[in-house]
mmCIF file of all heavy atoms in Angstrom:
data_model
loop_
_atom_site.group_PDB
_atom_site.id
_atom_site.type_symbol
_atom_site.label_atom_id
_atom_site.label_comp_id
_atom_site.label_asym_id
_atom_site.label_seq_id
_atom_site.Cartn_x
_atom_site.Cartn_y
_atom_site.Cartn_z
ATOM 1 N N GLU G 1 1.836 -10.767 -0.647
ATOM 2 C CA GLU G 1 0.527 -11.161 -0.117
ATOM 3 C C GLU G 1 0.523 -11.194 1.408
ATOM 4 O O GLU G 1 -0.463 -10.809 2.038
ATOM 5 C CB GLU G 1 0.101 -12.513 -0.681
ATOM 6 C CG GLU G 1 -1.307 -12.911 -0.290
ATOM 7 C CD GLU G 1 -2.367 -11.844 -0.595
ATOM 8 O OE1 GLU G 1 -2.308 -11.210 -1.668
ATOM 9 O OE2 GLU G 1 -3.248 -11.638 0.259
ATOM 10 N N THR G 2 1.620 -11.587 2.002
ATOM 11 C CA THR G 2 1.718 -11.599 3.472
ATOM 12 C C THR G 2 1.608 -10.180 4.016
ATOM 13 O O THR G 2 0.862 -9.926 4.981
ATOM 14 C CB THR G 2 3.049 -12.244 3.905
ATOM 15 O OG1 THR G 2 3.106 -13.567 3.391
ATOM 16 C CG2 THR G 2 3.186 -12.261 5.418
ATOM 17 N N TYR G 3 2.338 -9.231 3.421
ATOM 18 C CA TYR G 3 2.276 -7.840 3.864
ATOM 19 C C TYR G 3 0.889 -7.249 3.632
ATOM 20 O O TYR G 3 0.348 -6.553 4.489
ATOM 21 C CB TYR G 3 3.329 -6.985 3.159
ATOM 22 C CG TYR G 3 4.748 -7.390 3.451
ATOM 23 C CD1 TYR G 3 5.654 -7.613 2.421
ATOM 24 C CD2 TYR G 3 5.207 -7.542 4.758
ATOM 25 C CE1 TYR G 3 6.963 -7.972 2.677
ATOM 26 C CE2 TYR G 3 6.518 -7.905 5.026
ATOM 27 C CZ TYR G 3 7.392 -8.118 3.983
ATOM 28 O OH TYR G 3 8.688 -8.476 4.242
ATOM 29 N N ARG G 4 0.320 -7.515 2.456
ATOM 30 C CA ARG G 4 -1.005 -6.997 2.133
ATOM 31 C C ARG G 4 -2.032 -7.499 3.158
ATOM 32 O O ARG G 4 -2.836 -6.725 3.683
ATOM 33 C CB ARG G 4 -1.430 -7.391 0.726
ATOM 34 C CG ARG G 4 -2.808 -6.867 0.361
ATOM 35 C CD ARG G 4 -3.341 -7.247 -1.019
ATOM 36 N NE ARG G 4 -2.697 -8.322 -1.690
ATOM 37 C CZ ARG G 4 -1.891 -8.212 -2.753
ATOM 38 N NH1 ARG G 4 -1.635 -7.027 -3.264
ATOM 39 N NH2 ARG G 4 -1.348 -9.272 -3.311
ATOM 40 N N ALA G 5 -1.992 -8.793 3.452
ATOM 41 C CA ALA G 5 -2.940 -9.374 4.408
ATOM 42 C C ALA G 5 -2.758 -8.768 5.796
ATOM 43 O O ALA G 5 -3.749 -8.481 6.493
ATOM 44 C CB ALA G 5 -2.772 -10.891 4.451
ATOM 45 N N GLU G 6 -1.519 -8.546 6.202
ATOM 46 C CA GLU G 6 -1.280 -7.965 7.522
ATOM 47 C C GLU G 6 -1.835 -6.545 7.605
ATOM 48 O O GLU G 6 -2.486 -6.171 8.590
ATOM 49 C CB GLU G 6 0.208 -7.977 7.871
ATOM 50 C CG GLU G 6 0.468 -7.489 9.273
ATOM 51 C CD GLU G 6 1.910 -7.658 9.721
ATOM 52 O OE1 GLU G 6 2.700 -8.345 9.039
ATOM 53 O OE2 GLU G 6 2.240 -7.080 10.777
ATOM 54 N N ILE G 7 -1.590 -5.761 6.566
ATOM 55 C CA ILE G 7 -2.123 -4.391 6.551
ATOM 56 C C ILE G 7 -3.645 -4.422 6.582
ATOM 57 O O ILE G 7 -4.283 -3.710 7.367
ATOM 58 C CB ILE G 7 -1.604 -3.611 5.317
ATOM 59 C CG1 ILE G 7 -0.088 -3.372 5.436
ATOM 60 C CG2 ILE G 7 -2.345 -2.277 5.170
ATOM 61 C CD1 ILE G 7 0.568 -2.874 4.160
ATOM 62 N N GLU G 8 -4.237 -5.258 5.752
ATOM 63 C CA GLU G 8 -5.699 -5.318 5.701
ATOM 64 C C GLU G 8 -6.285 -5.812 7.022
ATOM 65 O O GLU G 8 -7.284 -5.263 7.508
ATOM 66 C CB GLU G 8 -6.160 -6.207 4.550
ATOM 67 C CG GLU G 8 -7.663 -6.188 4.364
ATOM 68 C CD GLU G 8 -8.131 -6.836 3.092
ATOM 69 O OE1 GLU G 8 -7.301 -7.230 2.242
ATOM 70 O OE2 GLU G 8 -9.370 -6.956 2.936
ATOM 71 N N ASN G 9 -5.685 -6.824 7.622
ATOM 72 C CA ASN G 9 -6.190 -7.343 8.894
ATOM 73 C C ASN G 9 -6.105 -6.310 10.010
ATOM 74 O O ASN G 9 -6.986 -6.243 10.858
ATOM 75 C CB ASN G 9 -5.434 -8.610 9.304
ATOM 76 C CG ASN G 9 -5.799 -9.801 8.450
ATOM 77 O OD1 ASN G 9 -6.864 -9.849 7.835
ATOM 78 N ND2 ASN G 9 -4.907 -10.774 8.384
ATOM 79 N N ARG G 10 -5.043 -5.514 10.003
ATOM 80 C CA ARG G 10 -4.856 -4.547 11.081
ATOM 81 C C ARG G 10 -5.610 -3.240 10.849
ATOM 82 O O ARG G 10 -6.103 -2.635 11.802
ATOM 83 C CB ARG G 10 -3.369 -4.253 11.253
ATOM 84 C CG ARG G 10 -2.645 -5.463 11.865
ATOM 85 C CD ARG G 10 -1.159 -5.363 11.776
ATOM 86 N NE ARG G 10 -0.630 -4.363 12.683
ATOM 87 C CZ ARG G 10 0.652 -4.068 12.748
ATOM 88 N NH1 ARG G 10 1.516 -4.676 11.965
ATOM 89 N NH2 ARG G 10 1.076 -3.155 13.587
ATOM 90 N N TYR G 11 -5.699 -2.804 9.574
ATOM 91 C CA TYR G 11 -6.219 -1.460 9.303
ATOM 92 C C TYR G 11 -7.339 -1.405 8.270
ATOM 93 O O TYR G 11 -7.905 -0.342 8.056
ATOM 94 C CB TYR G 11 -5.086 -0.535 8.849
ATOM 95 C CG TYR G 11 -4.057 -0.357 9.923
ATOM 96 C CD1 TYR G 11 -2.826 -0.975 9.837
ATOM 97 C CD2 TYR G 11 -4.341 0.417 11.041
ATOM 98 C CE1 TYR G 11 -1.886 -0.812 10.840
ATOM 99 C CE2 TYR G 11 -3.407 0.585 12.044
ATOM 100 C CZ TYR G 11 -2.178 -0.039 11.938
ATOM 101 O OH TYR G 11 -1.260 0.120 12.935
ATOM 102 N N GLY G 12 -7.605 -2.497 7.579
ATOM 103 C CA GLY G 12 -8.672 -2.503 6.591
ATOM 104 C C GLY G 12 -8.178 -2.296 5.169
ATOM 105 O O GLY G 12 -7.012 -1.972 4.919
ATOM 106 N N ARG G 13 -9.091 -2.505 4.257
ATOM 107 C CA ARG G 13 -8.782 -2.445 2.830
ATOM 108 C C ARG G 13 -8.321 -1.050 2.395
ATOM 109 O O ARG G 13 -7.494 -0.911 1.491
ATOM 110 C CB ARG G 13 -10.020 -2.877 2.043
ATOM 111 C CG ARG G 13 -9.806 -3.038 0.596
ATOM 112 C CD ARG G 13 -9.054 -4.307 0.289
ATOM 113 N NE ARG G 13 -8.764 -4.301 -1.144
ATOM 114 C CZ ARG G 13 -7.689 -4.821 -1.673
ATOM 115 N NH1 ARG G 13 -6.815 -5.442 -0.927
ATOM 116 N NH2 ARG G 13 -7.493 -4.756 -2.959
ATOM 117 N N LEU G 14 -8.876 -0.024 3.025
ATOM 118 C CA LEU G 14 -8.499 1.343 2.672
ATOM 119 C C LEU G 14 -7.006 1.596 2.898
ATOM 120 O O LEU G 14 -6.356 2.296 2.115
ATOM 121 C CB LEU G 14 -9.327 2.328 3.489
ATOM 122 C CG LEU G 14 -9.278 3.782 3.072
ATOM 123 C CD1 LEU G 14 -9.702 3.964 1.626
ATOM 124 C CD2 LEU G 14 -10.182 4.591 3.990
ATOM 125 N N ALA G 15 -6.444 1.011 3.929
ATOM 126 C CA ALA G 15 -5.004 1.165 4.194
ATOM 127 C C ALA G 15 -4.186 0.477 3.106
ATOM 128 O O ALA G 15 -3.122 0.979 2.721
ATOM 129 C CB ALA G 15 -4.649 0.605 5.566
ATOM 130 N N VAL G 16 -4.671 -0.642 2.595
ATOM 131 C CA VAL G 16 -3.985 -1.322 1.495
ATOM 132 C C VAL G 16 -4.007 -0.428 0.252
ATOM 133 O O VAL G 16 -3.001 -0.294 -0.450
ATOM 134 C CB VAL G 16 -4.622 -2.696 1.196
ATOM 135 C CG1 VAL G 16 -4.016 -3.318 -0.063
ATOM 136 C CG2 VAL G 16 -4.477 -3.628 2.391
ATOM 137 N N THR G 17 -5.147 0.208 0.008
ATOM 138 C CA THR G 17 -5.250 1.107 -1.145
ATOM 139 C C THR G 17 -4.286 2.280 -1.000
ATOM 140 O O THR G 17 -3.560 2.616 -1.950
ATOM 141 C CB THR G 17 -6.693 1.616 -1.295
ATOM 142 O OG1 THR G 17 -7.549 0.484 -1.517
ATOM 143 C CG2 THR G 17 -6.825 2.586 -2.454
ATOM 144 N N ALA G 18 -4.255 2.904 0.171
ATOM 145 C CA ALA G 18 -3.350 4.040 0.394
ATOM 146 C C ALA G 18 -1.891 3.617 0.237
ATOM 147 O O ALA G 18 -1.098 4.318 -0.405
ATOM 148 C CB ALA G 18 -3.588 4.636 1.784
ATOM 149 N N ALA G 19 -1.535 2.462 0.793
ATOM 150 C CA ALA G 19 -0.160 1.974 0.661
ATOM 151 C C ALA G 19 0.170 1.632 -0.788
ATOM 152 O O ALA G 19 1.298 1.841 -1.240
ATOM 153 C CB ALA G 19 0.049 0.758 1.568
ATOM 154 N N SER G 20 -0.808 1.144 -1.516
ATOM 155 C CA SER G 20 -0.591 0.823 -2.938
ATOM 156 C C SER G 20 -0.383 2.089 -3.759
ATOM 157 O O SER G 20 0.500 2.137 -4.630
ATOM 158 C CB SER G 20 -1.779 0.026 -3.480
ATOM 159 O OG SER G 20 -1.887 -1.210 -2.816
ATOM 160 N N TYR G 21 -1.193 3.110 -3.491
ATOM 161 C CA TYR G 21 -0.977 4.398 -4.162
ATOM 162 C C TYR G 21 0.424 4.923 -3.860
ATOM 163 O O TYR G 21 1.145 5.385 -4.751
ATOM 164 C CB TYR G 21 -1.991 5.436 -3.689
ATOM 165 C CG TYR G 21 -3.335 5.399 -4.355
ATOM 166 C CD1 TYR G 21 -4.414 6.045 -3.764
ATOM 167 C CD2 TYR G 21 -3.568 4.758 -5.563
ATOM 168 C CE1 TYR G 21 -5.670 6.051 -4.354
ATOM 169 C CE2 TYR G 21 -4.816 4.748 -6.157
ATOM 170 C CZ TYR G 21 -5.862 5.400 -5.545
ATOM 171 O OH TYR G 21 -7.098 5.411 -6.136
ATOM 172 N N ALA G 22 0.816 4.848 -2.598
ATOM 173 C CA ALA G 22 2.138 5.347 -2.198
ATOM 174 C C ALA G 22 3.250 4.548 -2.866
ATOM 175 O O ALA G 22 4.224 5.124 -3.369
ATOM 176 C CB ALA G 22 2.277 5.291 -0.674
ATOM 177 N N ALA G 23 3.101 3.230 -2.904
ATOM 178 C CA ALA G 23 4.131 2.380 -3.518
ATOM 179 C C ALA G 23 4.287 2.681 -5.003
ATOM 180 O O ALA G 23 5.399 2.673 -5.530
ATOM 181 C CB ALA G 23 3.776 0.904 -3.312
ATOM 182 N N ALA G 24 3.189 2.967 -5.655
ATOM 183 C CA ALA G 24 3.242 3.241 -7.096
ATOM 184 C C ALA G 24 3.699 4.658 -7.408
ATOM 185 O O ALA G 24 4.385 4.887 -8.415
ATOM 186 C CB ALA G 24 1.859 3.005 -7.714
ATOM 187 N N SER G 25 3.350 5.613 -6.561
ATOM 188 C CA SER G 25 3.554 7.016 -6.930
ATOM 189 C C SER G 25 4.822 7.656 -6.379
ATOM 190 O O SER G 25 5.262 8.670 -6.908
ATOM 191 C CB SER G 25 2.352 7.845 -6.475
ATOM 192 O OG SER G 25 2.241 7.840 -5.069
ATOM 193 N N GLY G 26 5.412 7.109 -5.344
ATOM 194 C CA GLY G 26 6.600 7.733 -4.757
ATOM 195 C C GLY G 26 7.758 7.854 -5.722
ATOM 196 O O GLY G 26 8.579 8.764 -5.613
ATOM 197 N N ARG G 27 7.817 6.962 -6.682
ATOM 198 C CA ARG G 27 8.905 6.997 -7.675
ATOM 199 C C ARG G 27 8.662 8.042 -8.754
ATOM 200 O O ARG G 27 9.565 8.365 -9.515
ATOM 201 C CB ARG G 27 9.057 5.629 -8.319
ATOM 202 C CG ARG G 27 9.423 4.563 -7.324
ATOM 203 C CD ARG G 27 9.663 3.229 -7.947
ATOM 204 N NE ARG G 27 8.457 2.726 -8.570
ATOM 205 C CZ ARG G 27 8.428 1.691 -9.395
ATOM 206 N NH1 ARG G 27 9.534 1.051 -9.679
ATOM 207 N NH2 ARG G 27 7.311 1.275 -9.922
ATOM 208 N N PHE G 28 7.462 8.547 -8.844
ATOM 209 C CA PHE G 28 7.120 9.466 -9.928
ATOM 210 C C PHE G 28 8.055 10.674 -9.974
ATOM 211 O O PHE G 28 8.628 10.987 -11.018
ATOM 212 C CB PHE G 28 5.664 9.946 -9.809
ATOM 213 C CG PHE G 28 5.333 11.036 -10.787
ATOM 214 C CD1 PHE G 28 5.034 10.730 -12.099
ATOM 215 C CD2 PHE G 28 5.370 12.370 -10.400
ATOM 216 C CE1 PHE G 28 4.754 11.736 -13.019
ATOM 217 C CE2 PHE G 28 5.091 13.378 -11.305
ATOM 218 C CZ PHE G 28 4.783 13.065 -12.616
ATOM 219 N N TYR G 29 8.170 11.377 -8.858
ATOM 220 C CA TYR G 29 8.940 12.625 -8.870
ATOM 221 C C TYR G 29 10.422 12.421 -9.170
ATOM 222 O O TYR G 29 10.972 13.152 -9.997
ATOM 223 C CB TYR G 29 8.729 13.398 -7.560
ATOM 224 C CG TYR G 29 7.327 13.925 -7.448
ATOM 225 C CD1 TYR G 29 6.378 13.261 -6.683
ATOM 226 C CD2 TYR G 29 6.938 15.071 -8.131
ATOM 227 C CE1 TYR G 29 5.077 13.737 -6.593
ATOM 228 C CE2 TYR G 29 5.645 15.548 -8.051
ATOM 229 C CZ TYR G 29 4.714 14.879 -7.289
ATOM 230 O OH TYR G 29 3.436 15.344 -7.206
ATOM 231 N N PRO G 30 11.096 11.459 -8.544
ATOM 232 C CA PRO G 30 12.509 11.293 -8.902
ATOM 233 C C PRO G 30 12.711 10.912 -10.368
ATOM 234 O O PRO G 30 13.632 11.409 -11.020
ATOM 235 C CB PRO G 30 13.010 10.183 -7.976
ATOM 236 C CG PRO G 30 11.917 9.833 -7.061
ATOM 237 C CD PRO G 30 10.707 10.625 -7.415
ATOM 238 N N VAL G 31 11.834 10.069 -10.882
ATOM 239 C CA VAL G 31 11.951 9.668 -12.284
ATOM 240 C C VAL G 31 11.655 10.856 -13.196
ATOM 241 O O VAL G 31 12.366 11.115 -14.177
ATOM 242 C CB VAL G 31 11.033 8.458 -12.585
ATOM 243 C CG1 VAL G 31 11.002 8.151 -14.068
ATOM 244 C CG2 VAL G 31 11.493 7.233 -11.787
#
């Protein structure tokens, strides 16, 4: 929550969404 709030405060909700997509999907290819 601390990281999410910092990203949102600095860059907005869209940056949180992009980071969330990246966090969820980066593991896809190696797996």
Side-chain angles (χ1 to χ4, degrees):
E1 186 52 41
T2 301
Y3 297 129
R4 180 182 16 252
E6 185 172 349
I7 293 168
E8 186 169 354
N9 288 338
R10 289 167 72 182
Y11 297 106
R13 188 75 186 147
L14 192 57
V16 173
T17 299
S20 297
Y21 277 163
S25 64
R27 298 184 297 167
F28 172 80
Y29 292 100
V31 172

